[in-house]
Each structure stands twice: as structure tokens, then as C-alpha cells.
Amino acid sequence: MAKADFETPELHEFVDVPLLVEDTMAHLSPFVAKPEHNTDLNFPGELVDDWHDKALAKLDDLRGRFRSLQVYLDSCVKCGACTDKCHYFLGTKDPKNMPVGRQDLLRKVYRRYFTFAGKYFPGLVGAKDLTRETLDEWYSYYHQCSQCRRCSVFCPYGIDTAEISMAAREILDSIGYGQKYCNEIIAKLNRVGNNLGLPGPALADTLEGLEEDVEDETGVAVKYPLDVKGADILLVTPSADFFAEPHVDGLIGYGKVFHEAGVSWTISSYASEAANFGMFIGSYENMRRVSLRIRKAALDLGVKRIVFGECGHAWRVAYAFLNTLAGPFDFLDPNYPVPQHILEFTWDQIQKGNLNLDKSANDDKVLTFHDSCNVARATRMGDKPGGQFEIPRNVIKAVCNNYVDMHHETIGERTFCCGGGGGLLTDDLMEIRVKGALPRMTALKNVMEEEGVTHMAAICAICKSQFTKVLPYYGMDMDQIVSIHQLVSNAIILTGQDSDDEEDEEELDEVEA
Amino acid sequence: MSLFFALLFIVAALVMVTGLARKIIQYAKTPAPLKIPTTPAPVNRTGVVLRLFREVVFFESLFKGTKWTWLFGWMFHLGLLLVLLRHLRYFTDPVWLPIQLIQPFGVYAGYAMVIGLVGLLGRRIFVDRVRYISSPSDFLWLVLLIIIGFSGLMMKFIAHTDVVMVKEFFTGLMGLSFGTLPIDFPLMVHLLMVALLMLLFPFSKLLHVPGLFFSPSRNQVDNPREKRHLAPWAKAMEEQRN
Ligand code: HEM
Ligand code: SF4
Ligand code: SF4
């Protein structure tokens, strides 16, 4: 899809709630999955002939297995509290991108076939027949939801549109109408072990390269081990960390932290992916199949702990679902939470004083932090509720001198999605990605102008990729996105590092500047 | 006429109770296979009880969401609660002391309820986003409740009805003995609408009342790492495939 097909919204000081303009995004649908990708996931290859009955049967099945779906379909009172909370609505003005508008696409069919009122008085309660048009509308608008859960924060009943989107995508998959991006990636992971399709030898090469780079730069032999049996920690990280900027700088950082902490660790080539797109397509079975790779890797390698790298939805699956899907993890060291987030690990090391940090290494930057939606609204870090907001900020502040938050309505539990989450990080959905980034871009622009912010740190592979792509649309620079562990990496002075004395350091600074 | 109302209320009460019970059983029986509380969430049961308490009593999330809707919605519901409590005097003899004590507030509550409802109706008509998501039934609910409130206030201030007789009718009805009602127009309207509300309750969006308590994003404890959470069907799947 060409860039010039749509207009990038203009940035103003505030994001005004727009007046509705119907169907502004009705034209946008992602590419449909190829048959072989669907069948690999145990879905029919192509749209089945009796899709109408099959779709209704699936809806009936899901509402019997997921309490969320049943309760959410029934409970909405159309109070409107969620209507202005979705970044995709704010960026597109399309009422079907209002959370309740999106839910109603499924709810009207639920009402028509499964409720007394909808069966006998459809006009009164807005119940509608399931038609081919409805199906295409589902396909279009349920792929314009990043499953960010922002709407669920403000709904008086906690109705989570993400749950509805997931169910809708599962229904579509079950009749052979899957999305190319997600299904292709899951199929690839099932085959190779990661979303990028990097086989073991390529991974080994990459990690060796990293070891050389770090040694050249610091003079210290930091290891980036692969498939090492008997290591203490299994690191599971999004595969983007293996090569793309700024992701890979984060991976370098994890390695340095592990090195200084004096723990042995390893990556697994079999489970070389933290991401789990099974969540995006709402498929418990596929999510479980992907998760079980991590269990197998941990058992095969005989590790004692599992640590996850920086990734948003991956942390949701890891923190909230892994124990359910692939547990129990009674074979791991019970003294540590299973799994742990790399930021929990690093923050612990910082508090213990195990890391020698030179904050001034990041003095060329003024930072702000983007709370990733899945981390913010679906998980926790540490023992206390809200640790997922504090720990990343604590770590940033421990390694940087200059930090400011964005507007309080756009961070923490109210954080705005980057615009690319939930299985939307594909070029065929570029229009919704750019438009959905509007609220975050506005908040960032404001702190850049008012507080002189130069960089935004993120802890999610999808956020990082999405921002790298959309920042230029808004006249900003793709390099403004950094990983938190990239900042940690900059600030760490490794034991025995060359440039320990003052002179060298100044020289280095000058060269870098 | 009185017999008609007597039978109507018996049917309405039965429909409401069995309908709601069916729904509650359905919700309770449907497993929540994954931990999905909207975080930050409480890490223990007590915390969850407090969270739900704040949602039920203060509409905490709605307050975060939209101040106007919260204001009108909360006025309406608080008003409704006090009015309902006040109505207990028609069903109990002797009237409990707390119910006696709130009688004077009940009248203001009636006003608050109607004002709140009119505010909500205004939002539904004038805010384009709320208008877009409204079906005819969403307007009709508000109209129905306004009629109930208005006819009630009329009996209080304009066309008094014989409340002693009403009380005898309902206390009698609870013992399944059919008495007589005063035949006043406002009372007929009031009672008809209330019976309609009771009949429709389990088939409508009023299911938000049980729904709130069963919403996994609000009622789950945030402890997935500490405690393994497994739905029965997921367990069966595990045993089958492993
Ligand atoms: C546990 C008790 C209840 C709670 C926590 C509760 C909560 C809420 C909330 C938060 C809203 C959304 C805000 C608003 O529009 O007012 C709402 C709406 C509504 N509630 Fe309740 N409610 C309860 C009981 C009831 C009962 C008993 C009735 C009726 C007899 C009722 C009727 C309504 C109606 C009609 C609406 C929609 C208002 C509109 O159209 O804007 N609620 N409720
Ligand atoms: S989950 Fe996020 S993207 Fe989806 S409707 Fe809600 S706010 Fe919008
Ligand atoms: S906030 Fe919740 S109840 Fe209100 S309209 Fe949105 S989904 Fe429905």
C-alpha cells in the first residue's frame, strides 16, 4: 500500500474528541492469510461454504468457554464512557472504531441469534442478521483494534474490547478467514522457533557478532550464549532483539547486566521468541502450542529460572498466561517468580549495588517513557500493583540524569497505544497505524517542545518497530526511540572495562558527540 | 383491576427472579480460562472486594471516564437506591427503624433520580457518539424510568393516593392474599411501568447489575505467577493432548 494513500493527522496541543464521520476506515482490511498458514494453525484453509452456521456455532462455543465474552456481550449499557478512549477512533473519527461501536459489530449478531429480545424484537435492541457484509466488517474493524485495553479502564463494568476482538478473530479463523500477518508468523514460529524465521546457525552467528562488538568496545569478554545446557537462566526475548535497531542494543544491555550479576544464562534456539501471536488471534490452543516451546526449552536445557526480555504482549502472555498454558513450573527454582521480567532482574541488581553505573553516559539525551499497553494494563512487575510503572522508570532514572514524564492522562494505566499492537504491525495496515499513533505523537511532541525531550524509551518490540516507522510521518526522527536496556548498556561500566579512567571516558564522549 | 395487578406482579416477580437466577447461574458456570484483570489490580481477595465495592458504590471507573455521565448516572442510581429503600415501608410491617429514618431523604432522592435520568437522556440525544451507539431500547429504558419516577412524584405532591391501601395490597400479596388497590391514574401507570421493568430486567441491558460482579477484568486477583489458574475445559484438553 503506497504511502500517499492517506493523510497523516496534524499535531495540535491537545487531541480533540472528533465529531463522528461514518465509515472513514471501512476500506481498510489486512491481507487474508494463505491456506497453508491457516491449516498449520488447525484452521480451514479458505472461507468455508457454511460459514454462516459455523461462525454462529463458534460464537456459541466461545461464549460457553469464556466468561468474559458472555458477560461483556450482555452487560453494556451504552453509557458512552469508552467512546472517546480509543486511539484509533481519535485518529480516524470512524464510529466503528469507538470501543463500544466495535463491540456492537459482534453484539448485534449475538443478540439476533442468542437473546430473547434480539430474536423477537431485533429492531428495538439493534440486533442484526449475520450477512457477508457483517463478516467483512468484522474482518476490517476487528483488525483495527490493537487489543490495548484502554477502553476497559474506563468502562464501569470493565468491558474489555480486546476480549471481543480476540473472540471475533477466533471466529473468523475458525471459518477460514484468517489474517495473513498473524497466521503466517505463527506458522513460521511453529516451524523455526521464532517470528523472523531465524534458524539456529544464523542466531549463533548473530550472537557471536555481538560478543565481538562488545569486546571491541569495552575490552571485556561478555558472553551471549546459545543453547547452553545447565545455565541458570533461560532468556526468552522477542526475535527483533537479535538484529534490528534499537532492539539489539537492548539485548546487548541484558548481556552486560547478566555478566555483571555473575549469573550463567542462555538463549534457546528452539524457543527463540518471546512474542506469542496466538494471543492476538484469540486462540487459546495456538497460544498454548507456542508457550509449550518455552517449557520444553527450559526442561531440555535444565535451567533454574526464566527471564523475559523487553516486549509488551509477550510479557502479558508470560506474566499472566504462561503458568496457565505451560505450567506448572515446579521444576524451576521456587525462590524466583516464574517468569521474571528483565527489568525486575536489572532493578534488583541495581538495588543490590551490583552494577557500576555512570549516568553521565546518557547525558546527551533527555528521556521520556512510553508505557506499553499490555505491560501497563495486563501485567505487573515486582510485588506491588503499579510496579509495572515504577520499575521501568526507576531503572531509567538510575542510568540517566534527565527524565520527564509525558502528560499524566497519556501514561500509566491511561497510556495510549503506539498504534501498532495486537497484530497490526504490518504494512497493509499502515494507514490505521499512522492515524492511531496520533495521541502518543501529540504527547511526545508536547514534552519535546516544553521540556526539551530528545528520546523516548520503550520496552516492547512492537512499540519500538512501530515508532521507528511512524515517527517520520509526524516529522520526527526514527532514532528517537530507544530500549531501556540500551540506556543501561550505555551507563554500565563493566568490571575491568578499558575506559575506566577519566581521560579515556572524556575522549569517548567526544568521539560519540 | 386489583386482581389483574395482583397476578401481574406475581408473574413479574417470578420472571425477574428466575430470569436473573438463570443468568447468574450461566455466568457462574462459564469458566474464565485466563487471568485478565485490568491492572494495576489487587493482589488478594480483600483487595478485589474493595475494588468491586468502589465500582458499585462510587462507579470508580466511570468517574475516570466521563464526569457528566458519572454525575447523572450516580444521581440516578443513588436516588433509585434510596427510593427503593423508602418503598420497603409498603412491604414491611412494622417498618424497620433505618427505613423510617430515611423517609425524608427519599423524597429528595426521587428528584435526584429524575434529574439524573433527564441528564442521561440529554446526553443520549445531544452527544453524537452516544446517539450513535443507542438503539431504540436505550431511549425507552430512560423514558420508562422517567415515567416511573414522575408518576411516583405526582402521587407524592399532586394527586395523593391512598398509601395505606397500597400497603395493605402489597403486604397481603406477599402472603398470597389478594386485596384491593385504590384506582388512581398515576398509581396505575406507576405500577404498570414497574411491572414492565421487572419483566424485562433479565432480558435487557439491566444485566449490568449481575454483570459487574462477574466481570473478570474487575473481579480477578492479580496473582497468576503465584497460583496456577486452570479452567476445567483447559485441563481436559491438557490431559487429552499430553
Ligand atoms: C448494583 C447495582 C447497580 C450498579 C452498580 C449500577 C451501575 C450502573 C452504571 C455504572 C451505569 C452507567 C452510568 C449511567 O448511565 O448511569 C448504569 C446505567 C444504567 N443503570 Fe445501573 N446499576 C445498578 C443497578 C441498576 C438498577 C437496579 C437499575 C434499574 C432498575 C439500573 C438501571 C440502569 C439504566 C437504565 C442504565 C442506563 C442509563 C442510560 O441509559 O444512560 N441500574 N448502571
Ligand atoms: S482495546 Fe484499545 S484498540 Fe481496541 S477498542 Fe479498546 S481502546 Fe481501541
Ligand atoms: S463504557 Fe462499557 S458500558 Fe459504557 S458504552 Fe462502553 S462498553 Fe458499554
Side-chain angles (χ1 to χ4, degrees), chain B residues 117-173:
Chain B
L117 284 165
V118 171
L120 289 172
L121 187 60
R123 261 187 76 75
R124 216 171 266 299
I125 294 170
F126 296 113
V127 178
D128 67 339
R129 285 169 285 123
V130 189
R131 189 169 61 232
Y132 178 89
I133 58 173
S134 301
S135 315
S137 61
D138 296 309
F139 293 100
L140 290 176
W141 271 117
L142 291 170
V143 171
L144 178 89
L145 284 157
I146 289 173
I147 296 177
I148 293 176
F150 194 77
S151 55
L153 289 171
M154 245 174 91
M155 286 184 280
K156 175 78 197 160
F157 294 106
I158 303 170
H160 287 278
T161 197
D162 187 343
V163 289
V164 180
M165 222 168 139
V166 173
K167 175 162 183 161
E168 273 168 10
F169 176 81
F170 278 104
T171 43
L173 196 58

Side-chain angles (χ1 to χ4, degrees), chain A residues 308-481:
Chain A
F308 270 72
E310 297 180 7
C311 186
H313 86 282
W315 181 236
R316 180 175 192 189
V317 180
Y319 170 85
F321 304 158
L322 195 68
N323 197 5
T324 298
L325 297 168
F329 288 100
D330 39 17
F331 57 91
L332 297 174
D333 185 343
N335 293 316
Y336 301 94
V338 183
Q340 253 184 320
H341 195 282
I342 184 70
L343 278 163
E344 294 179 312
F345 184 89
T346 301
W347 177 232
D348 186 45
Q349 293 299 322
I350 291 174
Q351 283 177 305
K352 285 186 181 144
N354 289 350
L355 304 182
N356 185 5
L357 299 166
D358 172 20
K359 288 188 183 195
S360 66
N362 287 309
D363 274 354
D364 55 332
K365 305 180 187 70
V366 180
L367 282 138
T368 191
F369 176 60
H370 167 76
D371 289 287
S372 298
C373 24
N374 274 300
V375 175
R377 290 185 283 260
T379 74
R380 174 159 54 96
M381 290 180 200
D383 307 328
K384 288 188 217 67
Q388 67 270 37
F389 311 131
E390 278 165 31
I391 290 178
R393 286 174 173 77
N394 289 346
V395 170
I396 297 177
K397 287 176 192 162
V399 297
C400 302
N401 283 312
N402 315 312
Y403 176 80
V404 282
D405 267 326
M406 284 178 278
H407 192 282
H408 64 91
E409 302 247 308
T410 71
I411 60 169
E413 70 169 353
R414 294 165 188 233
T415 189
F416 274 108
C417 171
C418 63
L424 274 54
L425 193 75
T426 168
D427 284 351
D428 38 321
L429 292 175
M430 197 45 106
E431 178 172 0
I432 192 77
R433 286 171 56 188
V434 170
K435 291 181 173 173
L438 174 72
R440 174 49 75 229
M441 292 295 107
T442 305
L444 175 61
K445 186 82 175 193
N446 286 344
V447 281
M448 285 168 61
E449 282 169 2
E450 287 155 25
E451 316 263 2
V453 163
T454 59
H455 290 77
M456 177 160 72
I459 49 170
C460 169
I462 290 178
C463 297
K464 291 172 201 169
S465 308
Q466 156 77 354
F467 286 133
T468 308
K469 209 61 175 256
V470 300
L471 275 167
Y473 281 86
Y474 287 93
M476 290 178 262
D477 191 6
M478 59 184 266
D479 300 332
Q480 288 181 274
I481 297 304

Side-chain angles (χ1 to χ4, degrees), chain B residues 16-34:
Chain B
M16 186 168 96
V17 171
T18 50
L20 269 178
R22 258 189 57 228
K23 270 303 190 185
I24 289 172
I25 290 167
Q26 181 194 26
Y27 294 161
K29 273 196 176 160
T30 311
L34 293 166

Side-chain angles (χ1 to χ4, degrees), chain A residues 20 65 67 72 74 77-78 83 85 124 149 152 157-158 319 323-324 339 344 376-380 413, chain B residues 23 27 30-31 36-39 64-65 124 128-129 137 205 208 215 217-218 222 224-225 228-229 233-234:
Chain A
L20 305 182
R65 285 196 291 144
R67 182 187 289 166
Y72 295 163
D74 279 336
V77 297
K78 309 297 166 78
T83 51
K85 302 302 186 287
L124 200 61
R149 315 190 91 199
S152 86
Y157 321 111
Y319 170 85
N323 197 5
T324 298
E344 294 179 312
R377 290 185 283 260
T379 74
R380 174 159 54 96
E413 70 169 353
Chain B
K23 270 303 190 185
Y27 294 161
T30 311
I36 59 165
T38 310
T39 60
K64 283 184 204 165
R124 216 171 266 299
D128 67 339
R129 285 169 285 123
S137 61
K205 67 176 185 178
H208 68 287
S215 171
S217 52
R218 292 289 180 268
D222 178 24
R225 288 194 288 192
R228 185 154 191 244
H229 176 89
W233 62 258

